[in-house]
Amino acid sequence: GSQRVALSPIDPCSPDSNATRGYVAVSLTTSSQIITGSAPNFVYVCSISLVAGAATNVAIVAGTGTVCGTSIAGIFGGSTAATGYNFAANGGIAFGNGGASIGRSDATAENLCILVSAANQISGSLTYVLAP
C-alpha cells in the first residue's frame, strides 16, 4: 500500500511561492499606515528593519480604520505604542531575510501600521506579501 503524505502549504514569503513581494521604505515621525490590505489576503511580513533616532516605543500592528484603529492586533510588540518595543536612541530591530514569513496580520483585509509613542524619526524598510 501507498501512503498519503500531507504537504504543508508554501510560505508566501518563500522564494518558491508565486506571491508578489512588496517593499516599503519607512520614514515617519507619527503613527502611520504603511501597507493597505485587501480581501481575501493576510499581510505576511517577510523582513523588517527599524531604527529610532531618539528613545521611542514602537509597535507594528494590523487593523482596519484610520491608522489601524479598529480591530487592532499587535504583530510585533503590543497593540498600542505604549506596549510596543522600547527603542533607545539609535536602537531598533532587524528581523528576517525575506525568505520566510516572520509575522502575519490576524485577519484578512487588514492594513499594517506602525505606532509610535513620540514624534521621533523612525526609519527602515519592510518586505511583505499579500496572500490568502
Side-chain angles (χ1 to χ4, degrees):
S2 64
Q3 291 182 327
R4 291 191 142 188
V5 177
L7 299 176
S8 61
I10 295 174
D11 185 311
C13 291
S14 166
D16 295 329
S17 169
N18 290 329
T20 302
R21 190 176 311 261
Y23 301 89
V24 176
V26 176
S27 178
L28 57 88
T29 57
T30 61
S31 295
S32 303
Q33 178 178 313
I34 60 168
I35 297 170
T36 300
S38 65
N41 300 311
F42 292 94
V43 176
Y44 289 86
V45 178
C46 307
S47 68
I48 187 169
S49 66
L50 295 175
V51 174
T56 310
N57 291 8
V58 178
I60 297 88
V61 302
T64 58
T66 304
V67 193
C68 299
T70 307
S71 302
I72 194 167
I75 297 176
F76 300 100
S79 60
T80 67
T83 59
Y85 292 114
N86 297 300
F87 291 161
N90 301 313
I93 59 170
F95 294 143
N97 65 6
S101 58
I102 57 171
R104 188 193 83 175
S105 59
D106 65 314
T108 61
E110 287 188 322
N111 305 316
L112 189 131
C113 301
I114 296 178
L115 308 181
V116 297
S117 64
N120 298 317
Q121 182 65 39
I122 307 296
S123 298
S125 64
L126 185 137
T127 61
Y128 69 96
V129 168
L130 298 177

